[in-house]
Structures are given as C-alpha cells and as structure tokens.
Amino acid sequence: DAGVIQSPRHEVTEMGQEVTLRCKPISGHNSLFWYRQTMMRGLELLIYFNNNVPIDDSGMPEDRFSAKMPNASFSTLKIQPSEPRDSAVYFCASSFGQGRDQPQHFGDGTRLSIL
Amino acid sequence: GQQVMQIPQYQHVQEGEDFTTYCNSSTTLSNIQWYKQRPGGHPVFLIQLVKSGEVKKQKRLTFQFGEAKKNSSLHITATQTTDVGTYFCAGNQAGTALIFGKGTTLSVSS
C-alpha cells in the first residue's frame, strides 16, 4: 500500500515567493496533520484536519500560512509571502480515527529553503 | 501548557552497549507513543502505550510507561548500527494535540 505522499521533496525559492506544499494521505485515513521540523524547535504541529475539516490550527505561525483539505485525498499548505525563517522540513502525516491518540504515518517530507 | 521533555539530547555508544532514553511530561498523559527517525528520513511509528505501568517489548527494544503516566522510557539492549537515528516520544491528554519531545539522537560506532 502507498504511504503518505508529499510533493515536492525539495523546494528552493527566494523570499517573497509563494510556496505550495502538497500531501496525499493514506487511503481510508480521516485525520491529517501538517508539521514543521527544525533543529531549534523540533517537530511542531501546524494544523490538524479531521474528515477534511480543520480542527486545530493553533500552531499555524501567522497569516502567511494557510492550509486546505478540499477532499479526503488531498491537502495543501501554502506560505505567502515566504521568508527565510520558514526554511524547514515540512511533514504531512495521516491517521485513522476520530481523536488524536492514533499512531501517525508520516510522509517523506518537503525540505524547504527560502533564500 | 503541556510539555514533553526528553533526555539525553544525544547519546553515543559502542556497538553492543545498551541505550536508554527518557521522556517526562508536565501533565498526566492518556497515551504515549514512540517514533524513530533515521538521518534524512521521516518519523516512523514504533509503539503506543496507554496503561499505567505498561511494559512492551519489540525484539531488543523495551518500552515502559510510568505508574503515574507522566514518564516513559525506551531501552535498547545490545545496540547495532541499524539502531542509529533520533528517537521521539510523543504524548497527549485525551482530546488534545500530540506533543513531540525534542528527541534523543543515537549514534553507534562499530
């Protein structure tokens, strides 16, 4: 079975540009999570969707970040405008179940560099 | 707010030595999970503990959940080079977000 699929794997862009990260969760999973990982801050939850509805977006850094889940098989995380401090690895994860106690399956991540 | 602390941050061992990482929470947890991330890879789920005092084993890995459900440990017996990576604990209270610790990075020399 295919795991969580993220694209692109790597993104290098100049500050001020719009960045869109994409995620396809595991088929049948109804919870989706976006995380950001940096050396300084570790793994931080940005937003959590359940059944395509954003449940908790308290981790979204600021208005420059937005996330959507138009259907059960696709989600995007957008940064506009991007800044150098947004450089990080962004992971998407999915799980099956209502709550947040279920084991999460992570994609390979998008390594984002903002110059 | 809820915090999950892990120690040590780094650990280097000789192949064949044992390794333990500890996880402590400021609040009582409903469950704790452990993940492993290889260098350049993504976190991979290892195990979930939900009961007070629970102990689970996976081959050379032993996981414990404290009696008060505020701490946990992962012990690896006789480390191998394939054990290299960062081990994360993650816990939450019921209905809240899973909080990840900063991880313990294990290096093994042969």
Side-chain angles (χ1 to χ4, degrees):
Chain A
D1 287 341
V4 175
I5 300 172
Q6 289 186 247
S7 64
R9 290 294 309 276
H10 303 272
E11 175 92 12
V12 181
T13 192
E14 292 185 345
M15 66 177 293
Q17 298 297 308
E18 179 179 291
V19 173
T20 300
L21 311 182
R22 298 172 177 80
C23 175
K24 177 179 168 56
I26 292 173
S27 178
H29 282 192
N30 60 345
S31 291
L32 184 139
F33 309 81
W34 281 101
Y35 289 90
R36 176 172 67 179
Q37 185 176 43
T38 60
M39 288 292 292
M40 287 295 294
R41 301 174 68 89
L43 201 57
E44 301 174 280
L45 176 67
L46 300 177
I47 189 167
Y48 157 56
F49 290 89
N50 184 255
N51 293 324
N52 312 339
V53 176
I55 303 299
D56 181 359
D57 65 354
S58 59
M60 294 288 265
E62 49 198 274
D63 292 344
R64 297 185 299 107
F65 285 68
S66 62
K68 294 182 180 180
M69 192 163 186
N71 57 62
S73 59
F74 184 66
S75 176
T76 59
L77 178 67
K78 188 173 292 187
I79 308 173
Q80 166 64 16
S82 56
E83 297 181 3
R85 61 192 167 119
D86 301 331
S87 298
V89 181
Y90 290 80
F91 287 106
C92 175
S94 70
S95 67
F96 175 74
Q98 180 78 19
R100 291 181 252 194
D101 291 357
Q102 304 308 311
Q104 297 180 19
H105 300 260
F106 285 75
D108 288 337
T110 295
R111 195 168 297 272
L112 177 64
S113 295
I114 308 297
L115 307 177
Chain B
Q2 181 187 342
Q3 291 186 345
V4 174
M5 311 296 290
Q6 266 188 270
I7 54 170
Q9 188 175 0
Y10 301 98
Q11 181 79 59
H12 176 80
V13 299
Q14 294 287 322
E15 190 173 23
E17 292 182 335
D18 292 356
F19 159 76
T20 305
T21 172
Y22 300 91
C23 182
N24 294 289
S25 169
S26 55
T27 57
T28 302
L29 302 170
S30 65
N31 89 112
I32 197 150
Q33 301 175 19
W34 285 90
Y35 293 76
K36 177 183 178 181
Q37 184 175 20
R38 294 182 189 276
H42 59 273
V44 175
F45 172 77
L46 295 177
I47 208 157
Q48 181 179 36
L49 305 169
V50 298
K51 297 177 184 176
S52 168
E54 189 170 13
V55 178
K56 287 188 177 180
K57 291 190 175 185
Q58 288 180 350
K59 298 183 180 178
R60 296 177 294 103
L61 278 61
T62 301
F63 304 84
Q64 285 190 304
F65 201 6
E67 293 289 341
K69 299 184 74 174
K70 296 179 75 171
N71 60 283
S72 180
S73 65
L74 158 59
H75 179 83
I76 303 178
T77 303
T79 55
Q80 300 175 358
T81 54
T82 53
D83 296 324
V84 163
T86 300
Y87 293 85
F88 294 96
C89 65
N92 68 337
Q93 298 175 299
T96 66
L98 201 62
I99 304 296
F100 280 79
K102 291 284 180 69
T104 295
T105 299
L106 172 65
S107 59
V108 180
S109 54
S110 56

